[in-house]
Amino acid sequence: MHLTKDEEHIFDGERGWANQICMKILVRLGELFKAQKLIPIDSAHISGVSYKTLGDAPIEFLQALADAGGRTRVKATLNPQSLDPKYLLTRLPKAITNKQLTILKQFDKMGVTQSLTCTPYYLVKPEHSSHLAWAESSAVIYANSVLGACTNREGGPSALAAAIIGKTPDYGMHVSENRRPNISVNVETKLQDETEFGALGILLGRILADKIPVIQGLENASESDLKQLSAALGSTGMTNMFHLIQDSHQIKKEKLQKINVETQDIKRTIESLTTASTQKPDLIFIGCPHCSRNELAKIACLAQGKKIKPQAELWVCTSRHVKQQAAADVEKIEGSGGHVLTDVCTIVSWTEMLGIKTIMTNSAKTAHYAPTLSKAETILAPLTECLKTAFQG
Ligand code: F3S
């Protein structure tokens, strides 16, 4: 890999240990994927923030990096943590919340914005063709496919190293020829809601491995639907982007291998993601990935004048940024007895410690992970059904 003089100096430790170790992480990664050089990035998005998923071991490394003067050179944001600043902070054991706060403190020292969201694109929308170093698969796929930015699926350490150096190795999704589709998917059924888009993602992730699909038949997709598709696709496969196409002639010209998705495939996938035997969830969870302003407005509209059933809880998860902008909608949701939580989600928190055994959600990604990561049974259904279950009457 070719390094500039300045990069060599960093590599040799002339700018301190923190910069040197970050440069070494990036160079190692670049060599592994045969990158020729490092390229500047506009932003980094760092995962591995929740104490639940991170554990104890990396905390020392984060502390060492922060103490040795590791500071971000580009805009850097954080994925969700394991609690929110109010509701869960008081419900989870002190030993856990203290560890989580220690982790956040290290990122804060290094200059990482405490965004604590998996939808960093609602804070600052990346420019088309800009280069990023983002972790969090749902955001990576959304950025590449919907926003037209370029990012590989980083791990927490490589995203942090890129934030501190301000660069990333030039390979994978940063190289235009690697972004071309190599399989064609024809969705033969009109998907009805966000849950069906999520189910399509789960299904394609399992089939495609790391292939890049060009998908035909999603003309009715909203940005929220594509967010669900991105999140689910990243959960079951290694695909980093998809293309949407309206024109079947284009696909014929490309002579790609073709697969069809039918109504039954979607139905079966949704059924497989519902593991609960009861129709009475302890928790109804909306906001995987974190809600946009439009989604909060829709939930508020459905929540207005209603009351949550006494035996159920409603969590609506979003970012601090979006919550701040949607005060009136938040009031309506909270007026119904729901909780609009920032910084967190069910998967990266300890719902099992709160006695939650059954989670109902409109997110295929959450339904995919909850049985293993939250030890919960799942009911996967669209937003309207989730809210019908949550409210009385
Ligand atoms: Fe975000 Fe948690 Fe889902 S981090 S993508 S809400 S699993």
Side-chain angles (χ1 to χ4, degrees), residues 79-80 117-119 136 138 231 285 287-290 317 344-348 363 365-366 369:
N79 225 28
T117 182
C118 47
T119 52
E136 173 48 50
S138 68
F285 166 54
C288 172
H290 278 177
C317 290
V344 74
C345 77
T346 54
I347 298 301
V348 297
S363 161
K365 174 171 179 173
T366 289
Y369 282 123

Side-chain angles (χ1 to χ4, degrees), residues 81 102 114 138 145 169 192 244 296 307 320:
Q81 57 159 330
T102 305
Q114 307 273 302
S138 68
S145 316
Q192 299 300 322
L244 295 180
L296 282 188
K307 280 285 165 224
R320 297 175 183 189

Side-chain angles (χ1 to χ4, degrees), residues 220-241:
N220 61 332
S222 67
E223 281 188 6
S224 297
D225 294 331
L226 297 179
K227 183 171 73 168
Q228 289 298 328
L229 171 63
S230 303
L233 192 55
S235 311
T236 50
M238 285 311 292
T239 300
N240 282 331
M241 80 176 286

Side-chain angles (χ1 to χ4, degrees), residues 343-391:
D343 303 6
V344 74
C345 77
T346 54
I347 298 301
V348 297
S349 188
W350 277 276
T351 49
E352 61 273 38
M353 276 191 202
L354 307 174
I356 290 162
K357 293 192 171 66
T358 308
I359 298 173
M360 184 176 198
T361 181
N362 64 340
S363 161
K365 174 171 179 173
T366 289
H368 172 73
Y369 282 123
T372 46
L373 297 181
S374 305
K375 312 274 178 298
E377 296 200 310
T378 52
I379 305 167
L380 177 62
L383 175 70
T384 44
E385 257 182 68
C386 288
L387 293 186
K388 224 196 255 171
T389 305
F391 295 125

Side-chain angles (χ1 to χ4, degrees), residues 45-54 77-84 88 100 103-104 107 113-120 135-139 285 287-291 317-320 341-350 365:
H45 180 69
I46 300 157
S47 66
V49 181
S50 158
Y51 176 51
K52 180 185 171 187
T53 52
L54 196 65
T77 44
L78 282 184
N79 225 28
Q81 57 159 330
S82 55
L83 45 104
D84 74 308
L88 297 176
Q100 183 63 72
I103 294 168
L104 293 192
F107 284 119
T113 306
Q114 307 273 302
S115 55
L116 299 161
T117 182
C118 47
T119 52
E136 173 48 50
S137 60
S138 68
F285 166 54
C288 172
H290 278 177
C291 286
C317 290
T318 187
S319 61
R320 297 175 183 189
L341 305 181
T342 64
D343 303 6
V344 74
C345 77
T346 54
I347 298 301
V348 297
S349 188
W350 277 276
K365 174 171 179 173

Side-chain angles (χ1 to χ4, degrees), residues 25-146:
I25 291 172
L26 298 181
V27 170
R28 183 80 196 96
L29 189 67
E31 283 172 353
L32 207 64
F33 288 96
K34 306 200 175 354
Q36 302 290 309
K37 60 182 193 305
L38 295 173
I39 49 169
I41 51 165
D42 281 10
S43 67
H45 180 69
I46 300 157
S47 66
V49 181
S50 158
Y51 176 51
K52 180 185 171 187
T53 52
L54 196 65
D56 285 303
I59 299 180
E60 257 180 53
F61 174 69
L62 289 175
Q63 269 167 337
L65 210 53
D67 290 346
R71 298 292 180 267
T72 56
R73 286 194 193 192
V74 291
K75 169 104 187 143
T77 44
L78 282 184
N79 225 28
Q81 57 159 330
S82 55
L83 45 104
D84 74 308
K86 276 196 199 146
Y87 184 59
L88 297 176
L89 183 68
T90 54
R91 289 183 73 192
L92 291 168
K94 260 257 163 299
I96 282 182
T97 58
N98 284 345
K99 289 273 187 180
Q100 183 63 72
L101 294 174
T102 305
I103 294 168
L104 293 192
K105 217 159 123 192
Q106 309 319 311
F107 284 119
D108 191 42
K109 261 197 209 168
M110 289 187 263
V112 185
T113 306
Q114 307 273 302
S115 55
L116 299 161
T117 182
C118 47
T119 52
Y121 40 86
Y122 294 146
L123 275 74
V124 181
K125 194 168 163 181
E127 281 184 26
H128 196 277
S129 305
S130 59
H131 293 277
L132 319 171
W134 282 15
E136 173 48 50
S137 60
S138 68
V140 166
I141 299 177
Y142 191 86
N144 280 319
S145 316
V146 181

Side-chain angles (χ1 to χ4, degrees), residues 144-183:
N144 280 319
S145 316
V146 181
L147 305 178
C150 308
T151 175
N152 287 318
R153 194 187 294 202
E154 302 292 342
S158 66
L160 179 57
I164 287 174
I165 298 298
K167 293 179 181 177
T168 194
D170 186 21
Y171 72 94
M173 292 293 101
H174 296 288
V175 180
S176 1
E177 50 265 38
N178 296 339
R179 297 171 64 89
R180 293 178 60 79
N182 43 25
I183 188 162

